């Protein structure tokens, strides 16, 4: 049987258990992500990219550099490589239908000029907030005002989301006709790239935001819906609980919280009503009166 060979970026780059523990603690402190247990190979492979890029010779040297580099830029790069950014347009598509159904119901007793405010709280490369915008344009009509805030801890994905350029393959999960309606095709003769059109761009605002940094929570208004999906799964229980309580405090009365399909809030202390295993609602104003 041939000997298993190491990936090129790992050759000559061993990681000790002590180094793994030090990096795990750093990742947990900076973004709340749990690395202990089975994540040794994952962390080592991802961090090796930065060790090689900086032409350092060991993880120890890299750890010292991340912790001492004064601008904090390397810490941001480290977070970029450590985080998982898997996403797609209309992922867990039932959420978009439920969002529209609930906003339509609430819209009947509401000033139609008042913009809906939504937040995609771990937006990765932008597919989620742009899907929210398409769902609202289709489901509520182009005349209904809304604003979507889209944030992520990784500055790399926030930059990519702001550029809003997607390959043909990445747009393949869009419902029929949406690509023609909401995207422009670039390079008509070369490899197809699709650029997000103006109707979506003008409704989504991107910025970097760490869900686990209390200082980032500076908001002037509450949200009608928050999508915080497929990110809590990486956090430990106390971090999840604090996060859900912070998000709940930011919801307007009857506001909705969507978590990933596999991220139930069972066992987490919070004050939201469960509409389904991954959809939660803040109480109406009259329900909270004494
Ligand atoms: C797997 S993606 C999910 C993207 C999208 N919400 C979805 O469901 O398709 C998880 C995202 O969470 C981001 N993330 C991880 N920790 C974070 C934190 N502490 N604050 C904000 N975003 C974080 C990652 O950078 C990544 O882009």
């Amino acid at each position: 049987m041939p000997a298993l060979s190491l990936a090129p970026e790992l050759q000559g780059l061993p990681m000790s258990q002590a180094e793994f523990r030090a990096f795990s603690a750093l990742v947990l402190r900076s973004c709340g992500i749990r690395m202990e247990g089975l994540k040794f190979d994952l962390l080592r492979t991802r961090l090796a990219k930065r060790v090689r890029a900086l032409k350092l010779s060991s993880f120890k040297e890299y750890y010292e550099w991340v912790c001492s580099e004064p601008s904090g830029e390397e810490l941001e790069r480290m977070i970029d490589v450590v985080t998982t950014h898997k996403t797609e347009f209309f992922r867990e598509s039932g959420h978009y239908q439920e969002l529209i159904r609930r906003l339509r119901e609430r819209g009947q007793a509401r000033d139609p000029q008042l913009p809906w405010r939504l937040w995609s709280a771990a937006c990765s490369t932008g597919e989620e907030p742009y899907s929210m915008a398409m769902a609202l344009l289709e489901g509520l009509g182009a005349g209904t005002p809304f604003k979507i805030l889209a944030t992520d801890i990784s500055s790399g994905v926030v930059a990519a989301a702001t550029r809003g350029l997607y390959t043909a393959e990445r747009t393949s999960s869009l419902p029929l006709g949406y690509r023609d309606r909401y995207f422009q095709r670039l390079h008509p003769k070369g490899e197809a790239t699709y650029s997000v059109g103006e109707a979506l761009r003008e409704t989504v605002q991107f910025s970097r935001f760490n869900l686990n940094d209390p200082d980032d929570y500076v908001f002037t208004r509450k949200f009608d819906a928050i999508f915080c999906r497929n990110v809590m799964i990486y956090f430990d229980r106390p971090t999840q609980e604090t996060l859900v309580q912070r998000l709940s405090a930011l919801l307007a009365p009857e506001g909705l919280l969507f978590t990933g399909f596999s991220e139930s809030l069972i066992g987490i202390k919070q004050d939201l009503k469960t509409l389904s295993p991954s959809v939660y609602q803040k109480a109406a104003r009259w329900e909270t009166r004494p």
Side-chain angles (χ1 to χ4, degrees):
M1 201 166 81
L4 286 175
S5 60
L6 274 178
E9 68 273 17
L10 291 176
Q11 279 168 14
L13 205 51
M15 180 184 263
S16 69
Q17 283 298 332
E19 285 163 346
F20 174 68
R21 281 196 299 276
F23 276 112
S24 299
L26 180 60
V27 170
L28 187 65
R29 267 199 314 279
S30 24
C31 50
I33 296 177
R34 273 178 302 126
M35 281 288 162
E36 82 281 4
L38 300 171
K39 305 262 177 75
F40 182 93
D41 287 336
L42 185 95
L43 189 65
R44 181 173 168 225
T45 312
R46 290 183 176 182
L47 291 178
K49 290 184 196 147
R50 293 305 306 151
V51 179
R52 293 297 185 217
L54 293 166
K55 304 206 178 343
L56 300 175
S57 55
S58 69
F59 285 108
K60 182 169 180 292
E61 258 186 85
Y62 181 57
Y63 184 79
E64 281 159 8
W65 173 240
V66 181
C67 293
S68 61
E69 193 256 329
S71 72
E73 272 177 31
E74 188 50 42
L75 185 63
E76 271 193 35
R77 294 221 174 84
M78 186 198 81
I79 292 170
D80 275 2
V81 295
V82 164
T83 41
T84 299
H85 305 295
K86 181 183 173 328
T87 187
E88 63 178 12
F89 287 108
F90 290 95
R91 180 180 192 183
E92 299 173 347
S93 63
H95 280 161
Y96 296 92
Q97 288 152 16
E98 174 124 20
L99 171 71
I100 297 307
R101 193 166 60 76
R102 302 255 169 204
L103 293 188
R104 273 198 193 138
E105 277 167 19
R106 281 184 53 202
Q108 288 165 5
R110 193 172 177 276
D111 174 0
Q113 299 305 316
L114 200 64
W116 294 107
R117 270 175 53 90
L118 299 99
W119 181 18
S120 164
C123 67
S124 188
T125 39
E127 287 86 338
E128 181 176 274
Y130 290 132
S131 301
M132 291 161 83
M134 285 183 271
L136 266 75
L137 287 168
E138 294 285 324
L140 301 183
T144 306
F146 65 89
K147 286 276 168 225
I148 299 170
L149 172 68
T151 61
D152 198 285
I153 196 172
S154 158
S155 33
V157 295
V158 171
T162 309
R163 279 195 296 279
L165 299 176
Y166 300 96
T167 60
E169 196 198 328
R170 291 202 74 83
T171 60
S172 63
S173 59
L174 286 169
L176 202 67
Y178 281 29
R179 194 164 73 187
D180 291 343
R181 266 208 291 294
Y182 296 111
F183 293 77
Q184 280 144 19
R185 186 180 163 152
L186 308 179
H187 322 305
K189 296 207 174 113
E191 197 187 326
T193 302
Y194 293 87
S195 171
V196 170
E198 215 30 55
L200 301 186
R201 284 187 194 271
E202 65 188 19
T203 62
V204 186
Q205 188 200 338
F206 290 99
S207 97
R208 183 175 183 271
F209 186 102
N210 182 353
L211 288 166
N212 296 317
D213 184 347
D215 293 343
D216 279 0
Y217 285 77
V218 184
F219 294 101
T220 50
R221 285 195 41 206
K222 306 226 167 181
F223 294 96
D224 299 297
I226 299 175
F227 276 45
C228 185
R229 306 187 310 160
N230 303 302
V231 59
M232 265 190 277
I233 201 164
Y234 301 108
F235 301 157
D236 61 15
R237 185 47 67 103
T239 310
Q240 291 174 345
E241 198 158 284
T242 307
L243 173 59
V244 173
Q245 288 166 3
R246 282 188 182 132
L247 298 180
S248 172
L250 284 169
L251 283 173
E254 294 184 271
L256 302 161
L257 172 66
F258 293 85
T259 63
F261 278 0
S262 57
E263 297 171 314
S264 154
L265 302 189
I266 291 172
I268 290 187
K269 222 163 89 198
Q270 41 86 20
D271 60 352
L272 300 168
K273 185 159 69 185
T274 304
L275 300 179
S276 67
S278 58
V279 186
Y280 302 87
Q281 186 172 42
K282 183 94 171 181
R285 211 181 295 275
W286 59 266
E287 285 175 310
T288 57
R289 283 198 189 127

